Amino acid sequence: MLIEIPQVLAKEQIDEFLGELSAAEWADGRGSAGYLSAAVKSNGQLADGSPTAAKLGKAVLERLEGNALFISAALPFKIVPPLFNRYADGQEYGPHVDGAIRPISGTPHRVRTDLSATLFLSAPEDYEGGELTIEDSFGARSVKLAAGDMVLYPGSSVHRVAPVTRGVRYASFFWVQSMVRNDDHRRVLFELDSSIQGLASELPGHAELVRLAGVYHNLLRTWADS
Ligand code: NI
């Protein structure tokens, strides 16, 4: 399941993010990649322990906490603190898969990467290329979203970032361990939840809504680990 989540960041936040990121010190992105990925990876990343990454990452997580679409689609259990990358001058990230388990640096904790997320920070007209292409059971899809919008996709998928041939592409990315590990189960829950929300606004107070909400929670109880 691939889901676009619009306006994760507010407009004024995006300007603040871009200001901080353009002044930040960028490290070689290969530092955080496994050896197969490092061979096809060419970009900059904010280093581990970067105060800018910590500050902006915290702001991203605060916004996501209040984002009903994100919560419904991801059913998050644990989230890796967001990382930040920068592509320019033809930099790209060839086809790769993300590691299944991600340690949280400086802690003994690990996150299973059920879902990958990319939050676009640069406006699409400010750079050429840089599409994120995700291959999965639904075929290949390329996304290049408005600044502040985010795409959520299965951590299991092969994906790549096309060369950025003009301008600079800044993004934040991170992984989510979901309470519901199975992608198909998560999709059923997301569709059911969306449908209940739709009915609740069309037929507020309808008695069957309570039973449907019960079905949702009983499925969640069956499938969730927390
Ligand atoms: Ni990746």
Side-chain angles (χ1 to χ4, degrees), residues 87-213:
Y87 291 81
D89 305 318
Q91 287 180 317
E92 65 181 306
Y93 198 166
H96 68 281
V97 288
D98 296 338
I101 304 290
R102 192 87 202 175
I104 299 185
S105 70
T107 79
H109 303 295
R110 286 182 284 272
V111 172
R112 190 183 64 229
T113 58
D114 297 326
L115 292 158
S116 298
T118 294
L119 169 58
F120 288 76
L121 296 171
S122 300
E125 58 274 19
D126 288 349
Y127 61 99
E128 206 71 55
E131 294 83 1
L132 170 65
T133 299
I134 299 151
E135 292 168 28
D136 209 341
S137 47
F138 46 72
R141 259 182 71 181
S142 288
V143 288
K144 181 169 175 174
L145 303 181
D149 290 5
M150 187 172 96
V151 62
L152 202 55
Y153 58 98
S156 54
S157 56
V158 175
H159 53 278
R160 61 183 186 273
V161 176
V164 172
T165 54
R166 175 184 66 81
V168 182
R169 174 196 191 270
Y170 291 109
S172 176
F173 63 104
F174 57 91
W175 296 271
V176 179
Q177 178 170 335
S178 177
M179 291 187 285
V180 175
R181 177 182 200 148
N182 183 299
D183 198 50
D184 293 329
H185 292 169
R186 214 181 310 112
R187 189 177 61 236
V188 168
L189 287 166
F190 176 62
E191 284 172 3
L192 181 55
D193 188 30
S194 308
S195 179
I196 292 170
Q197 304 289 336
L199 284 175
S201 77
E202 293 279 315
L203 304 166
H206 197 294
E208 292 299 328
L209 282 168
V210 177
R211 295 212 316 174
L212 273 177

